[in-house]
Amino acid sequence: MKKVQFTETVLRDAQQSLIATRMPFEVFEPALSTLDSAGYYSLECWGGATFDSCLRYLDEDPWERLRKIRKACPNSKLQMLLRGQNLLGYKHYPDDVVRLFVKKSVENGIDIIRIFDALNDLRNIQVAVDETVKNGATASGTICYTTSPVHTLDQFVKIAKELENMGVQTICIKDMAGIMSPKEAYELVKAIKENVKLPVIVHTHSTTGLGYMTLLKAVEAGADVVDTAVSCFSTGTSQPATETMRYVFEQYGYDTGLDIEKVNKVNSIFKPYRNECLKSGLENPISMSTDTDALNYQIPGGMLSNLIKQLTDMKKLDKLDEVLTETPKVRADLGYPPLVTPMSQMVGAQAMLNVMSGERYKTVSNEVKAYLKGEYGKAPGTVNADLQKKVLGDEKPITCRFADTLKPGLPEVKEKYPDATDEEILSRICYPQQAETYYKKREEEKNRTYTYKIEKV
Ligand code: CO
């Protein structure tokens, strides 16, 4: 029997795309045991923006969240998203930090690490892949899908072969903007399957309305696993719905392994919360609709909902169209980086600066400056030479892997916090400010409880 498996994204990408990653542990806790027995290939539940969001907005220790999910889902493969040398942050970390982060992620419960580099510069994922395999977890080597004059089918197949040679166990095609058409997905999956022996996983978003068709054609071409979200957190900037795709695949004679009653139960657990999010405005109906503009602008789900949120906060939502027009221009200037974190934020923020200041590149963000210096890796195309000259002056951009220029990152932080666990050290390195606030608060709470007990006696 033909077979296709599912990765459920409600705990990570779906909520990141629709409600800016604000779902607290208590909300999804009641769904965990059902998710665990519903027959998924994996549960994507950690990494991406969840780590930052836990510390910054939800007052949760991200490591503890992972351990709790692990405990509640003993039968499932837990999956995380990792930005290679960037880990979960926006800059490149030294190798010792990357290795410890991967090791601790696996120790705390992760089975599968989907590893990508925003520029598809594979030098930037090599260390994370190596450490993942070394720790007995599955390294899913990821191709960031995008369209541009410099991204071709042959180029993507070449990346897939390089990933296979690197030792990854699966290949993931990551279409973060939901711009991969059914035809492109069919051709790409087929070409990769013909050239590489590994299972192929397809990740897309429904932003442009292509997602459902794209997954169907990808599976027809031989894709082994698809990413979907339980229906009440599906569609729009999120993934296609789990229930719908299962329905279609079963009609075509695929064994999906999913227990539909359990998936329905999961959906009924999340539905009241989804309704609350709509009522409170946390979920913007714009994110749930189909936006074909993204076929031109190539704005990923998370980026689009963030831009809308930022412009709404600034009471400048009327500038949205201008920002969306400026975005591809900035992207071309930077040599067509795929619009995925952190490039999506970088390009989006620079486009906002260019529109708000009324003059292009009047102000250049530090991130774009670092990018032009070569600190993020090799651009897929050619960067705008005038812009590079304006920013760098006579300084030459680097050509080596940026992490090779960094000294080890652990000793200094370990010396500063001698009593901290490895997990706390890593939180402090990745998100220094948020971690400081979080751990300080936790310390204060501990002391408060203590005083209270004394008074009671
Ligand atoms: Co995504």
Side-chain angles (χ1 to χ4, degrees):
M1 197 178 187
K2 295 183 287 185
K3 205 174 155 189
V4 62
Q5 288 186 287
F6 286 65
T7 290
E8 174 60 54
T9 66
V10 64
L11 303 179
R12 207 286 298 174
D13 202 5
Q15 61 129 338
Q16 183 171 325
S17 300
L18 290 173
I19 56 166
T21 336
R22 299 295 203 277
M23 192 188 286
F25 177 78
E26 299 81 57
V27 164
F28 62 77
E29 186 181 17
L32 289 176
S33 70
T34 317
L35 278 168
D36 190 42
S37 57
Y40 288 103
Y41 165 76
S42 66
L43 304 176
E44 193 198 30
C45 60
W46 210 63
T50 61
F51 197 97
D52 181 18
S53 185
C54 274
L55 291 171
R56 194 192 295 252
Y57 304 111
L58 301 173
D59 223 359
E60 278 182 48
D61 180 343
W63 299 98
E64 195 173 333
R65 171 185 282 204
L66 173 57
R67 287 191 294 270
K68 286 195 222 157
I69 299 173
R70 176 75 284 168
K71 207 171 160 214
C73 299
N75 305 306
S76 296
K77 284 188 173 163
L78 302 186
Q79 182 175 315
M80 73 175 289
L81 181 68
L82 191 82
R83 297 174 204 133
Q85 208 71 25
N86 290 353
L87 296 175
L88 307 175
Y90 302 92
K91 60 171 194 177
H92 283 219
Y93 297 98
D95 290 342
D96 63 332
V97 175
V98 173
R99 288 194 183 277
L100 186 65
F101 197 97
V102 168
K103 185 166 176 268
K104 286 288 150 185
S105 301
V106 177
E107 267 180 31
N108 281 278
I110 288 294
D111 302 292
I112 301 171
I113 309 190
R114 181 178 288 174
I115 308 169
F116 73 96
D117 176 66
L119 297 173
N120 288 322
D121 182 341
L122 301 188
R123 297 173 303 172
N124 292 332
I125 71 164
Q126 198 144 22
V127 172
V129 166
D130 180 66
E131 191 64 29
T132 302
V133 175
K134 210 183 258 174
N135 281 276
T138 298
S140 188
T142 302
I143 300 167
C144 290
Y145 181 81
T146 189
T147 55
S148 86
V150 300
H151 290 89
T152 61
L153 188 68
D154 288 348
Q155 188 64 29
F156 285 131
V157 170
K158 192 173 154 242
I159 297 172
K161 280 189 197 161
E162 283 169 15
L163 287 169
E164 185 178 40
N165 291 336
M166 196 186 274
V168 304
Q169 291 105 320
T170 62
I171 302 274
C172 173
I173 303 166
K174 179 178 162 67
D175 172 26
M176 51 280 164
I179 52 160
M180 183 163 61
S181 71
K183 181 173 184 284
E184 289 162 347
Y186 187 88
E187 288 167 1
L188 180 54
V189 171
K190 205 155 186 59
I192 292 177
K193 280 300 230 182
E194 277 165 10
N195 286 280
V196 169
K197 287 188 185 62
L198 303 174
V200 171
I201 298 159
V202 178
H203 174 87
T204 187
H205 289 255
S206 300
T207 323
T208 63
L210 294 173
Y212 289 88
M213 297 178 277
T214 297
L215 290 188
L216 177 60
K217 293 306 280 185
V219 170
E220 279 181 14
D224 302 272
V225 181
V226 292
D227 281 15
T228 58
V230 72
S231 55
C232 69
F233 270 96
S234 74
T235 315
T237 54
S238 175
Q239 274 72 51
T242 308
E243 299 93 313
T244 313
M245 290 314 303
R246 177 206 157 270
Y247 187 86
V248 171
F249 288 135
E250 299 242 330
Q251 274 202 344
Y252 276 118
Y254 288 89
D255 173 13
T256 64
L258 282 181
D259 180 335
I260 190 60
E261 278 175 25
K262 291 200 169 152
V263 177
N264 287 339
K265 189 178 165 200
V266 169
N267 192 49
S268 68
I269 294 172
F270 281 109
K271 222 174 195 173
Y273 176 68
R274 192 275 313 265
N275 294 343
E276 245 175 69
C277 291
L278 281 169
K279 218 188 254 172
S280 72
L282 178 56
E283 183 163 3
N284 187 328
I286 293 179
S287 309
M288 296 162 62
S289 62
T290 301
D291 187 349
T292 51
D293 284 348
L295 291 175
N296 302 319
Y297 300 129
Q298 302 194 340
I299 307 281
M303 180 178 176
L304 189 60
S305 70
N306 264 331
L307 280 179
I308 292 169
K309 192 171 186 321
Q310 281 171 31
L311 287 168
T312 308
D313 289 350
M314 291 159 71
K315 298 207 170 22
K316 289 266 163 72
L317 197 56
D318 58 307
K319 295 272 186 200
L320 181 62
D321 282 345
E322 255 177 274
V323 173
L324 291 179
T325 312
E326 175 63 9
T327 305
K329 292 181 188 161
V330 173
R331 183 179 180 230
D333 288 338
L334 298 183
Y336 298 103
L339 290 183
V340 59
T341 305
M343 297 302 146
S344 49
Q345 281 81 352
M346 198 189 289
V347 171
Q350 189 60 50
M352 288 240 273
L353 276 174
N354 288 358
V355 169
M356 296 303 166
S357 68
E359 187 190 326
R360 306 191 73 219
Y361 304 111
K362 188 177 177 187
T363 315
V364 177
S365 74
N366 288 334
E367 289 78 15
V368 170
K369 280 180 192 161
Y371 175 91
L372 292 168
K373 281 184 199 166
E375 294 183 3
Y376 286 84
K378 199 178 169 317
T382 316
V383 301
N384 180 327
D386 292 340
L387 177 62
Q388 197 165 32
K389 181 128 186 51
K390 182 181 168 183
V391 170
L392 297 192
D394 291 332
E395 199 184 330
K396 284 259 173 294
I398 62 161
T399 52
C400 68
R401 189 184 70 121
F402 182 62
D404 288 332
T405 69
L406 303 172
K407 63 176 195 335
L410 292 172
E412 194 187 319
V413 188
K414 278 188 170 170
E415 197 178 313
K416 200 169 165 197
Y417 302 98
D419 299 328
T421 60
D422 284 345
E423 286 81 355
E424 181 180 335
I425 295 285
L426 290 165
S427 301
R428 288 188 179 280
I429 290 174
C430 291
Y431 290 98
Q433 268 177 324
Q434 291 84 313
E436 175 65 21
T437 314
Y438 173 81
Y439 288 112
K440 213 170 165 184
K441 206 168 161 191
R442 207 176 66 171
E443 198 56 36
E444 279 167 12
E445 259 156 39
K446 238 196 247 164
N447 294 338
R448 200 166 26 240
T449 317
Y450 184 66
T451 325
Y452 173 73
K453 275 184 191 150
I454 298 280
E455 280 167 2
K456 234 186 158 186
V457 168

